[in-house]
Amino acid sequence: MIRPEIPLAGVIGDPIAHSLSPRLHGHWLQRYGLKGHYVPLHVSHQNLADVLRVLPDMGFVGVNITIPHKEFVLSLATQISDRAALIGAANTLTFLGNGQIQADNTDGIGFLSNIRQNLPGWTAASGPALVLGAGGAAKAIVSALINDGAPKVIVVNRTRMRADALREQFGARVETQDWTRIPDLVGDVALIVNTTSLGMDGQSPLSIDLSRLTPPTVVTDIVYKPLETELLTAARQMGCEAVDGLGMLLHQAVPGFERWFGYTPMVDDELRATVLAQ
């Protein structure tokens, strides 16, 4: 990739005004004194292909992709990473020149890096994982856990059929159970991950029985609004390590920034404070 003198990048979604990515990447650009800009781009489904075609001519070196385009964008890419192909979605595009678009999925990297930053030495190989939800984020996380050595990943979803689809997609180390089994399952796993929107501001609460939860089980929630969800609070009260979801957003941004702007940025308290600032 030939990087322009002032490289441009951005995030494409519909809607997009809520995205924290411009603040995140903008902080890094300013902090490291790098030339470049990162902007939000509100693009509808019907215009996505045309927009991606012209962005490189405008000086763009890449873009992040968010809802609802993560799956469709794979059909527009000319190079697809193995993990993006396996997950069936991409969140990071890099423009390579001559109309070539490289698609990748860094959500799994962000998920694992977030836990490891909070719990150095942690590994998915420490025991079975329980994943709540079966959407796009769950796919990326299940894939990452399997690649990191999880002996078993149990997926529960309110619609069992969607959980079963993940088992078919990722193979023998994925097990599915009914949502009603959660109270029994929480006592038999090393990691619990909420990938649903339950517990998010404006959404229904995540109401599950955690009475069997005991240390050293780690509990994490990809929700970051609120930063401290009821699930995380309950886990801490029961003596378990709890990891909030903001770090996943921050860490998934690192590979794209590195490719587009030629610098490996740090995820630290200063970045968290900047992204959380109102």
Side-chain angles (χ1 to χ4, degrees):
M1 178 181 68
I2 300 175
R3 192 173 290 110
E5 184 178 348
I6 302 180
L8 305 178
V11 56
I12 291 177
D14 182 12
I16 201 59
H18 66 285
S19 176
L20 295 176
S21 292
R23 188 183 302 178
L24 161 58
H25 287 269
H27 169 81
W28 280 335
L29 287 168
Q30 183 177 20
R31 177 176 179 176
Y32 301 118
L34 301 175
K35 290 183 177 180
H37 299 281
Y38 185 101
V39 296
L41 300 166
H42 188 168
V43 180
S44 64
H45 173 82
Q46 59 265 33
N47 294 328
L48 183 59
D50 290 338
V51 168
L52 292 180
R53 195 175 298 114
V54 301
L55 283 180
D57 294 332
M58 299 168 61
F60 278 80
V61 290
V63 288
N64 286 123
I65 300 293
T66 188
I67 295 172
H69 304 312
K70 284 187 172 186
E71 295 178 354
F72 174 68
V73 77
L74 287 184
S75 66
L76 305 176
T78 54
Q79 297 182 24
I80 302 174
S81 70
D82 290 344
R83 58 192 173 209
L86 180 62
I87 295 164
N91 71 333
T92 304
L93 302 183
T94 301
F95 303 131
L96 304 176
N98 298 319
Q100 301 292 299
I101 300 176
Q102 180 188 66
D104 194 11
N105 192 308
T106 65
D107 283 335
I109 293 174
F111 173 77
L112 294 177
S113 297
N114 182 35
I115 298 181
R116 290 202 174 103
Q117 185 173 39
N118 286 273
L119 304 173
W122 176 90
T123 172
S126 60
L130 174 62
V131 174
L132 312 182
K139 292 179 183 179
I141 288 170
V142 168
S143 177
L145 289 171
I146 291 173
N147 288 336
D148 199 52
K152 180 170 65 175
V153 180
I154 305 168
V155 179
V156 296
N157 193 62
R158 287 167 292 180
T159 304
R160 175 70 180 262
M161 186 181 302
R162 294 192 68 188
D164 289 340
L166 263 69
R167 181 184 60 199
E168 295 176 8
Q169 182 174 355
F170 293 105
R173 274 193 281 165
V174 175
E175 174 186 313
T176 59
Q177 295 284 353
D178 290 331
W179 188 266
T180 55
R181 290 287 320 284
I182 292 176
D184 297 322
L185 296 169
V186 297
D188 299 324
V189 295
L191 174 71
I192 299 173
V193 188
N194 176 38
T195 74
T196 75
S197 61
L198 297 175
M200 184 186 297
D201 287 345
Q203 301 292 325
S204 301
L206 176 63
S207 299
I208 56 176
D209 181 359
L210 296 174
S211 57
R212 291 194 63 216
L213 179 64
T214 57
T217 297
V218 175
V219 179
T220 185
D221 199 327
I222 71 167
V223 169
Y224 53 85
K225 290 184 178 181
L227 194 61
E228 182 75 2
T229 63
E230 291 183 8
L231 173 65
L232 299 182
T233 298
R236 295 187 208 279
Q237 290 173 346
M238 302 184 80
C240 293
E241 297 281 3
V243 179
D244 69 57
L246 180 62
M248 178 177 169
L249 171 73
L250 306 183
H251 281 285
Q252 64 79 32
V254 171
F257 188 92
E258 187 175 39
R259 292 167 196 163
W260 305 329
F261 299 108
Y263 193 95
T264 303
M266 293 289 293
V267 174
D268 54 17
D269 290 340
E270 181 182 339
L271 177 66
R272 283 177 63 93
T274 298
V275 171
L276 289 172
Q278 297 298 319

